[in-house]
Amino acid sequence: MRRLLAPSLILAATLAAASAQAATPKDALVMAWNLDALITLDPAQIAEVNGNDIMRNVCSRLVRFNIADPSKLEPEIAESWSSSEDGLTLTFKLRKDIKFPSGKAATAHDAVWSLKRAIHLNFGNAANLTEWGFTSAKADEQIRAVDDHTIEVKLPQPYPTGLIVSAAFTSNVSSVLNKETGEKNAKTTDGRSDYGNGWFKTQSDCVGPYKVRTWNANDVLILEANDIYFGEKPGLRRVLIRHVPESGAQRLQLEKGDIDVGRLLSSDDLKALATNKDIHIEQTVMHGYSYFAFNAQDPILSNPKVRLAFRYLVDYEGLERTVMAYQGKARNSLVPIGAFGALDEKAGLPFKLDLDMAKKLLTEAGYPNGFTKKYILSANAFNPAVAQHVQANAAKVGIKLELEQMADANLFTKMRAREFEIGQIGWGAGYPDAHSMVSRHAQNPDNRPEAKLAQYPTWRSAWVDPKVNDMAAKAMMERNDAKRIAAYHELQKYMLENGPMAYMFQTVRPIAIRKEVKGFQIGAFEVRYRSASK
């Protein structure tokens, strides 16, 4: 009974202390965010921004990006890695001091089980491995533990080492979970194991700086410091993440000192907070996007001229100055500025609001009088204002857009099931290379409905182009940097005219932080809670 009550008592006591002191606890970082998109804590399954952010502070990966310069790779659980002369074998040497929060030593056997588990479960994150040729049938021979501290990975092709390490072994699938816990809690249905997924969806047992203490859906998540973590020790005992989906409420709580960090604030509230001497706003240009996607199963939206017309219905730079202030930077190309192979700023923003051009393209496509489509979007943050802007301009060229706002979880579910016509959504690249976006937003390895490649936005849009698949495959394997960049430039220009997604803004992540918080490290791919102190 004490074990069952403990998390609730901790939460009640912590929040009561915060209220009584009119300030947050000295040993806790209190963050306000939107938790309705937090669906799972299982690193093999996480696909949402919030879950990824949180679990990167709970489960360390084999390799990580340098937080100030993500083009540089750093050791994390793996202290070193090397490639064979023929480029077909990767060897990871693990640290010898890695332990799970229980004190049990973590080994290469746990790491290998975790990697193969992701492949066997075949959730969306499996693509971080399967796109490189790893398969469930061959996993045992492709990934193996040589000894307690050495992992050997056999590659089907001699990929550039930096690319394959960045793509696969900095991702959540390289988190080291406790094999014993996973096997103990595994459930079998129709002869198929869930590898402990039912347990890991709501709890954690991995190598990392924090462990999950409490998760009450759409309410609060509490992380507790792991005292035996091998790396930088957390500066604060606990991290409390409250579900506060309204920007105005977050702003008020920041001003009063009820929270330390606000993670979901509108441009207007950010502008107001910028004048508050007790609050600092950190802006980070992310390798991600806000965009709208078209379902190519629809006979009208399958027409590239119709999709191109939509690109002329947005005043990108005008929205950047107003609705998207602090939130986004206008960009149309699918590869973000800052990534290897990206088009420059001018070439990456060729479109502007041009209703005459939109009307011309619609007429050429055979729809001079327009049409009606349903447009689904998140009810959070800037999304409604952007969608209303698109809706108003679309109406001027005869297109009637029926907007439907919904919770993030519902939006993700519908789009991953191809149950939409037009959807406004976001995406974050996994690593700073053109291939990260191209592999999901241009390539489509299997467009069949039964393939269920839900983590490929191209598959969600039921769009495939053999020419693009071929261009992307050749660019990925090109070892000459100049030729590889040129190949990605050509592909981006093609996608600007033909692709199933219309990119509007490269994501800017604003985080409002009270002055009492020191050392909070924020990068393009990671926010490190453990570095924060008061």
Side-chain angles (χ1 to χ4, degrees):
M1 179 62 73
R2 282 195 298 272
R3 286 197 300 272
L4 290 170
L5 290 174
S8 298
L9 293 174
I10 288 172
L11 173 60
T14 305
L15 296 181
S19 177
Q21 297 169 9
T24 58
K26 292 289 186 183
D27 67 345
L29 182 72
V30 182
M31 205 171 348
W33 213 355
N34 170 33
L35 293 180
D36 71 11
L38 186 60
I39 299 169
T40 179
L41 303 179
D42 189 337
Q45 192 176 20
I46 291 167
E48 295 72 37
V49 171
N50 301 24
N52 183 63
D53 189 297
I54 291 164
M55 293 309 290
R56 278 181 175 265
N57 289 277
V58 174
C59 299
S60 297
R61 282 86 57 218
L62 291 177
V63 182
R64 72 182 184 184
F65 299 117
N66 178 286
I67 198 158
D69 182 359
S71 67
K72 297 177 181 177
L73 296 172
E74 296 180 341
E76 193 161 27
I77 288 177
E79 63 182 9
S80 67
W81 56 94
S82 59
S83 177
S84 61
E85 196 169 319
D86 63 5
L88 293 174
T89 303
L90 280 176
T91 302
F92 293 91
K93 291 289 187 180
L94 306 192
R95 299 175 62 103
K96 293 182 173 63
D97 57 351
I98 53 175
K99 295 181 179 180
F100 297 110
S102 65
K104 177 181 176 289
T107 71
H109 302 284
D110 295 293
V112 166
W113 179 83
S114 301
L115 288 164
K116 292 195 293 188
R117 170 184 185 270
I119 297 170
H120 294 321
L121 284 172
N122 199 32
F123 292 126
N125 277 356
N128 288 299
L129 295 168
T130 58
E131 73 168 292
W132 303 98
F134 296 98
T135 67
S136 187
K138 296 182 178 180
D140 288 343
E141 59 188 78
Q142 290 177 318
I143 306 171
R144 71 185 189 95
V146 176
D147 56 41
D148 283 352
H149 307 291
T150 309
I151 300 172
E152 185 178 83
V153 178
K154 294 292 186 181
L155 303 175
Q157 297 185 67
Y159 303 112
T161 302
L163 176 59
I164 183 66
V165 172
S166 292
F169 300 104
T170 63
S171 70
N172 284 317
V173 297
S174 75
S175 302
V176 179
L177 308 183
N178 190 330
K179 176 183 178 182
E180 183 180 329
T181 298
E183 291 182 338
K184 177 183 175 182
N185 291 283
K187 305 294 182 187
T188 301
T189 304
D190 297 328
R192 179 179 171 84
S193 174
D194 75 345
Y195 294 89
N197 171 249
W199 191 91
F200 284 113
K201 283 178 75 170
T202 60
Q203 300 172 78
S204 67
D205 192 0
C206 56
V207 177
Y210 283 96
K211 54 189 175 183
V212 176
R213 182 59 184 261
T214 302
W215 177 27
N216 295 329
N218 292 344
D219 182 15
V220 69
L221 182 137
I222 302 176
L223 306 181
E224 189 171 274
N226 175 12
D227 294 330
I228 57 174
Y229 181 59
F230 66 84
E232 176 189 3
K233 300 297 187 290
L236 296 170
R237 185 69 194 162
R238 294 188 183 90
V239 177
L240 289 87
I241 304 175
R242 297 180 183 174
H243 179 57
V244 185
E246 300 84 13
S247 174
Q250 286 199 19
R251 173 185 165 184
L252 181 62
Q253 290 179 22
L254 273 168
E255 291 171 335
K256 291 172 62 180
D258 291 340
I259 60 173
D260 300 308
V261 178
R263 299 289 301 269
L264 192 71
L265 292 151
S266 69
S267 295
D268 288 342
D269 285 324
L270 286 162
K271 288 174 185 176
L273 288 170
T275 63
N276 189 322
K277 61 181 178 58
D278 294 327
I279 295 168
H280 167 66
I281 299 171
E282 186 76 24
Q283 297 181 68
T284 307
V285 179
M286 308 291 289
H287 287 231
Y289 283 99
S290 295
Y291 65 96
F292 47 96
F294 307 96
N295 192 331
Q297 293 178 115
D298 183 284
I300 296 176
L301 300 175
S302 66
N303 189 315
K305 287 194 174 182
V306 170
R307 299 195 300 266
L308 188 58
F310 270 87
R311 290 165 163 85
Y312 289 99
L313 298 179
V314 183
D315 181 3
Y316 303 96
E317 293 177 321
L319 286 175
E320 179 185 312
R321 293 190 299 269
T322 54
V323 172
M324 298 302 295
Y326 293 96
Q327 310 279 356
K329 180 177 178 60
R331 186 164 176 81
N332 302 138
S333 177
L334 81 159
V335 178
I337 284 290
F340 178 91
L343 290 172
D344 64 28
E345 291 195 20
K346 182 178 180 181
L349 186 63
F351 303 117
K352 62 181 181 180
L353 179 63
D354 188 336
L355 298 180
D356 291 338
M357 177 60 77
K359 188 70 173 178
K360 177 176 180 291
L361 287 164
L362 289 172
T363 301
E364 290 175 0
Y367 304 101
N369 299 317
F371 46 80
T372 299
K373 293 295 170 193
K374 182 174 286 188
Y375 187 127
I376 64 174
L377 64 142
S378 167
N380 293 319
F382 53 80
N383 292 287
V386 171
Q388 288 160 16
H389 170 88
V390 177
Q391 181 189 45
N393 288 326
K396 295 174 184 176
V397 295
I399 299 174
K400 181 181 179 182
L401 296 178
E402 299 173 345
L403 303 188
E404 182 181 354
Q405 298 181 33
M406 58 188 66
D408 286 353
N410 294 337
L411 178 70
F412 298 153
T413 299
K414 280 187 171 293
M415 295 195 71
R416 289 172 189 167
R418 294 179 164 182
E419 295 173 356
F420 72 100
E421 293 177 337
I422 301 173
Q424 183 174 308
I425 199 166
W427 182 271
Y431 48 96
D433 189 288
H435 183 73
S436 180
M437 287 294 292
V438 167
S439 65
R440 298 293 189 278
H441 285 242
Q443 286 180 293
N444 183 350
D446 189 345
N447 198 42
R448 295 173 304 136
E450 57 268 29
K452 298 186 183 301
L453 301 181
Q455 290 310 311
Y456 283 78
T458 45
W459 181 88
R460 297 179 194 173
S461 288
W463 182 89
V464 63
D465 186 328
K467 176 181 177 179
V468 169
N469 282 349
D470 184 59
M471 292 170 72
K474 289 178 179 177
M476 176 183 68
M477 296 303 297
E478 176 57 63
R479 289 182 171 271
N480 180 288
D481 282 354
K483 291 181 179 179
R484 190 160 170 256
I485 289 170
Y488 280 126
H489 283 186
E490 181 185 359
L491 194 153
Q492 287 169 79
K493 291 172 183 176
Y494 182 85
M495 292 296 290
L496 282 166
E497 299 285 327
N498 297 282
M501 273 73 77
Y503 303 93
M504 296 181 285
F505 305 100
Q506 187 167 337
T507 309
V508 174
R509 180 178 57 201
I511 299 181
I513 310 165
R514 285 195 60 85
K515 66 179 182 180
E516 293 85 2
V517 177
K518 311 296 182 185
F520 197 35
Q521 292 186 324
I522 302 170
F525 288 90
E526 184 176 5
V527 178
R528 291 184 188 161
Y529 309 165
R530 65 182 177 274
S531 64
S533 63
K534 291 182 179 178

